[in-house]
Amino acid sequence: MTASRTQVGIIGAGPSGLLLSQLLDLGGVDSVVLERRSRDYVLARVRAGVLEQGVVEILRAAGVGARLDREGLVHRGVAITAGEERYHIDFAAHGASLTVYGQTELTKDLVEAREARGSTLVYEAEDLAIEGVDGKQPRLHYHKGGAEHVLECDFVAGCDGFHGVSRKSIPASVLKTHERVYPFGWLGVLADVPPVSPELVYASHESGFALCSMRSATRSRCYVQCSLDDTVEQWSDARFWDELCARLPAEVARGLRSAPSIEKSIAPLRSFVAEPLRHGRLLLAGDAAHIVPPTGAKGLNLAVRDVDQLAAALIAHYREHSDALLDGYSATALRRIWKAERFSAWLTSVLHLFPGRSSFDRRMQLAELDQLASSAAARAAFVESYTGAAPL
Ligand code: APR
Ligand code: PHB
């Protein structure tokens, strides 16, 4: 067995774990990231792509904003459509903006920054087991290359996503979870076609939800709501583009171009929150702590804000010998998380086709959109939640 030691043991090299390691490093706190997948796998994942302004500022402060500032697409509005109706919601009137920048690119920037600073990122760390978080010296046991390793640390950061081990190491008598599972999924396609519109288009249609997003001026990321029983094999590229076109207003669909999918996947939708986010020396952040349906584009933004808060708390522990921020981490983060959960669940309920919905339910959805179209106050509240203009 090989033993090593660090101040913070971080489980997971997704955006949460990588950014936490970077922020701690900049604050003079040592960490080691233990990731069960390979470096190539981590770098290849296609995920979210919309960053709140406050999140962009956190990433700049972390030293990973240069390419984001060069290549990110700044958006000052969004379109929501229902059938042939199109509502434009202007962010600039509220002094807000969003930046479209693929999570894949952010992960590359974070890995590059961590490697440039000589950080310890352990890939293919298997069978990770957490021990001693109730005491002062937690230990992380794992296997790599057939050998057994143990990492001793002061704190464990559970950044291992929804399916990780960290949340499951909190005793059932302590952990409370809150969940809503939606009766549909999103089929996502990445393709080298110009975006159908300069701004994102969220479409609510009698056949189901659709979303036209992008990664650059030449690469689109689009989604259609699908059944949870569907498989990727049942969705040819032609079927996907035809269905996306059918769910958009004609004036938008005219601009739609199709191309072979570079990536195609189906994701279920879930709202999920674990409480508390701290148990002894274990602290949860990102998808390990919460899941939002992607409708509100909050997943990555919540993860970055969790990690920014957690890094400040851990740095204060070591540099100021103060645990006030650590003691307040869970309550403060949960208030932000529940606000994002509320908005994401609301927007999902407004835009999607729910099996068995009544004509009254559909009219309620259309009335919510009409409220956005007719009320400046409703639009201001939407922009605040969607862009994170007033920190959640
Ligand atoms: N041991 C080590 N690593 C693990 C383990 C484990 N037992 N379980 C999971 N991991 C790793 C995963 O392989 C993954 O690389 O933890 C990482 C978790 O990354 P994410 O799931 O991306 O979660 P997070 O970093 O919090 O980022 C949240 O990513 O999933 C999107 O929509 C989500 O945009 C949001 C963001
Ligand atoms: C994306 O670009 O992948 C994206 C954008 C907005 C969302 C969800 C996903 O709400």
Side-chain angles (χ1 to χ4, degrees):
M1 165 163 352
T2 306
S4 57
R5 191 185 199 295
T6 189
Q7 290 175 307
V8 181
I10 299 173
I11 309 173
S16 297
L18 291 168
L19 180 60
L20 178 60
S21 176
Q22 178 75 353
L23 290 170
L24 290 175
D25 190 357
L26 295 173
V29 177
D30 291 332
S31 66
V32 169
V33 176
L34 302 178
E35 165 58 49
R36 74 175 169 187
R37 300 284 191 165
S38 70
R39 182 177 184 276
D40 288 348
Y41 181 93
V42 167
L43 289 171
R45 269 190 305 227
V46 177
R47 288 282 180 68
V50 173
L51 301 176
E52 299 169 359
Q53 187 52 40
V55 164
V56 170
E57 287 157 13
I58 291 168
L59 296 171
R60 286 178 184 143
V64 292
R67 190 160 73 100
L68 163 56
D69 285 335
R70 285 198 310 274
E71 299 177 12
L73 304 171
V74 178
H75 282 214
R76 292 186 171 79
V78 70
I80 297 180
T81 69
E84 289 303 312
E85 291 293 321
R86 176 173 181 171
Y87 311 100
H88 168 76
I89 296 177
D90 177 51
F91 304 154
H94 305 273
S97 67
L98 284 173
T99 300
V100 175
Y101 187 70
Q103 182 173 318
T104 308
E105 304 316 310
L106 175 58
T107 301
K108 286 176 189 166
D109 298 339
L110 284 165
V111 168
E112 185 179 314
R114 297 310 299 132
E115 291 175 349
R117 292 180 66 91
S119 75
T120 307
L121 299 177
V122 179
Y123 294 102
E124 296 171 298
E126 298 171 336
D127 311 321
L128 191 144
I130 304 171
E131 186 190 303
V133 291
D134 289 323
K136 290 188 179 303
Q137 290 295 320
R139 283 173 301 286
L140 300 176
H141 296 266
Y142 63 95
H143 290 98
K144 180 174 171 64
E148 190 176 346
H149 301 262
V150 61
L151 175 67
E152 292 190 354
C153 43
D154 300 331
F155 294 94
V156 176
C159 298
D160 46 348
F162 183 67
H163 300 290
V165 293
S166 60
R167 186 179 65 248
K168 295 163 189 164
S169 70
I170 298 178
S173 58
V174 172
L175 185 70
K176 298 283 180 289
T177 60
H178 313 275
E179 185 171 43
R180 175 185 291 174
V181 178
Y182 296 88
F184 41 76
W186 278 20
L187 169 68
V189 161
L190 189 68
D192 281 332
V193 286
V196 71
S197 156
E199 59 190 15
L200 270 59
V201 181
Y202 289 80
S204 174
H205 190 272
E206 296 299 332
S207 302
F209 169 81
L211 169 60
C212 297
S213 184
M214 62 201 69
R215 291 292 176 268
S216 71
T218 58
R219 178 166 285 191
S220 292
R221 176 70 169 166
C222 299
Y223 303 87
V224 296
Q225 175 186 344
C226 66
S227 164
L228 283 174
D229 299 328
D230 284 359
T231 63
V232 170
E233 292 69 29
Q234 292 169 323
W235 282 87
S236 67
D237 285 359
R239 181 186 175 195
F240 173 82
W241 294 113
D242 288 347
E243 191 57 36
L244 177 62
C245 186
R247 297 183 186 183
L248 295 170
E251 52 112 2
V252 176
R254 271 195 288 276
L256 187 62
R257 298 291 175 272
S258 63
S261 56
I262 300 167
E263 192 268 354
K264 191 190 298 181
S265 55
I266 292 177
L269 273 66
R270 178 194 315 270
S271 298
F272 175 88
V273 180
E275 297 179 342
L277 302 188
R278 177 184 183 184
H279 177 63
R281 294 282 179 133
L282 170 66
L283 298 113
L284 304 181
D287 275 15
H290 46 72
I291 295 289
V292 283
T295 326
K298 290 294 163 202
L300 181 54
N301 290 294
L302 275 179
V304 169
R305 290 185 186 275
D306 288 351
V307 158
D308 184 50
Q309 182 192 343
L310 180 54
L314 289 165
I315 292 165
H317 169 84
Y318 287 105
R319 286 176 53 173
E320 298 154 29
H321 307 293
S322 164
D323 282 354
L325 292 179
L326 268 179
D327 294 343
Y329 170 70
S330 184
T332 303
L334 283 168
R335 187 154 185 260
R336 173 182 61 246
I337 291 159
W338 277 111
K339 287 188 174 187
E341 292 284 353
R342 179 205 66 81
F343 174 71
S344 303
W346 171 78
L347 193 56
T348 301
S349 71
V350 170
L351 297 179
H352 288 77
L353 172 71
F354 282 73
R357 80 175 172 198
S358 67
S359 61
F360 182 85
D361 295 332
R362 181 54 178 162
R363 289 293 184 278
M364 281 291 100
Q365 291 180 322
L366 296 175
E368 289 285 358
L369 296 179
D370 186 51
Q371 180 72 359
L372 275 181
S374 58
S375 163
R379 281 194 301 281
F382 176 92
V383 170
E384 176 181 296
S385 294
Y386 183 61
T387 69
L392 293 173

